[in-house]
Amino acid sequence: MDKSPAPTDRQTDRSYHHGSLVDALVHAAVELIEVYGVEKLSLRAVSKKVGVSPGAPFRHFKTKSELLKAVAEQSMLRLTQAVNASLAAQTSGDPVALLGAIGRGYLNWALSNPTHFQIISSRTLIDFHSSKTLVEQNDAIYKLMLEQVTIGQAAGAIRGDASAHDLVVNARAFVYGLARMAVDRHFREWRVSGDPRQAAAEALNLYLRMIATSS
């Protein structure tokens, strides 16, 4: 029989390197939110789930809000990856098709990661603008969209009765609204049947036809 003593809290804490502990805490936070909701999340609960001492999370996050911001930063990295992957898979250079690829990347990510989507979307849970990662990567997606709309308008492929910026904001609002309805399970109340992903994809295609100069 193994009579070696059980590891102490300090020994357990030391088993994590700086980065791996942060990743573990973020992962545990998402899992706890999915089960109990964000309101019941606490640093103590996260430390218990990870198996470290109650004080361990405070070396990296002073407050629950800071931990949620780290979750949002992870979410933004994954969203950026999803958008870039969707763009890379788009074989057509048509600006409307590329704008659609950005939208599909966003929708697929949001529906696959509803908890991450909920946190990154909230401005009451996180201080979005205090994070360089969140601001810069959100701005990068805005610029991707603006580039395609500008090219499309110059080529006569996208309607020109609104500024490129206004169309980008409109497109973002539309895709965000679709994601919100799907994640919050509102489709049924609006008589949308079938698979939510397919329904969202069809709605996006309809929107793209509406802003294009020809269908």
Side-chain angles (χ1 to χ4, degrees):
M1 180 181 295
D2 182 7
K3 295 184 179 180
S4 58
T8 65
D9 284 343
R10 287 186 181 276
Q11 289 172 330
T12 305
D13 293 354
R14 284 198 297 269
S15 68
Y16 286 97
H17 295 295
H18 171 83
S20 62
L21 178 56
V22 170
D23 289 342
L25 293 169
V26 168
H27 182 73
V30 173
E31 290 188 336
L32 288 170
I33 292 168
E34 289 173 346
V35 176
Y36 303 107
V38 70
E39 298 82 7
K40 294 186 178 180
L41 182 71
S42 68
L43 291 174
R44 181 174 292 274
V46 171
S47 66
K48 182 177 180 180
K49 185 169 183 62
V50 173
V52 295
S53 64
F58 291 94
R59 298 171 197 153
H60 307 286
F61 310 111
K62 294 183 176 64
T63 64
K64 171 181 169 179
S65 294
E66 287 190 4
L67 173 59
L68 288 174
K69 186 168 69 174
V71 174
E73 289 174 341
Q74 182 190 81
S75 304
M76 183 61 79
L77 288 171
R78 292 181 178 181
L79 170 58
T80 298
Q81 291 169 352
V83 167
N84 289 336
S86 185
L87 278 171
Q90 177 60 49
T91 57
S92 171
D94 174 63
V96 177
L98 290 169
L99 188 64
I102 296 172
R104 284 191 299 276
Y106 184 98
L107 284 171
N108 289 335
W109 167 80
L111 272 61
S112 298
N113 302 275
T115 302
H116 286 86
F117 171 72
Q118 301 247 11
I119 293 172
I120 201 172
S121 299
S122 174
R123 295 300 179 269
T124 60
L125 294 175
I126 60 171
D127 183 0
F128 187 94
H129 295 283
S130 69
S131 168
K132 184 178 180 181
T133 296
L134 294 175
V135 172
E136 289 186 349
Q137 295 201 23
N138 185 72
D139 193 50
I141 293 175
Y142 166 81
K143 288 177 179 177
L144 279 175
M145 296 175 68
L146 186 66
E147 178 184 19
Q148 297 309 322
V149 172
T150 301
I151 292 172
Q153 287 184 322
I158 294 178
R159 57 192 298 172
D161 56 348
S163 71
H165 166 76
D166 287 348
L167 275 176
V168 167
V169 173
N170 183 270
R172 166 68 181 214
F174 182 82
V175 175
Y176 172 81
L178 279 177
R180 185 91 262 169
M181 290 180 72
V183 169
D184 291 346
R185 301 178 183 178
H186 288 182
F187 278 171
R188 184 177 179 181
E189 288 88 341
W190 287 90
R191 296 171 175 79
V192 178
S193 59
D195 178 64
R197 291 176 183 272
Q198 184 62 33
E202 290 175 358
L204 176 60
N205 288 336
L206 174 60
Y207 175 83
L208 293 171
R209 291 197 298 271
M210 291 170 64
I211 67 168
T213 55
S214 60
S215 57

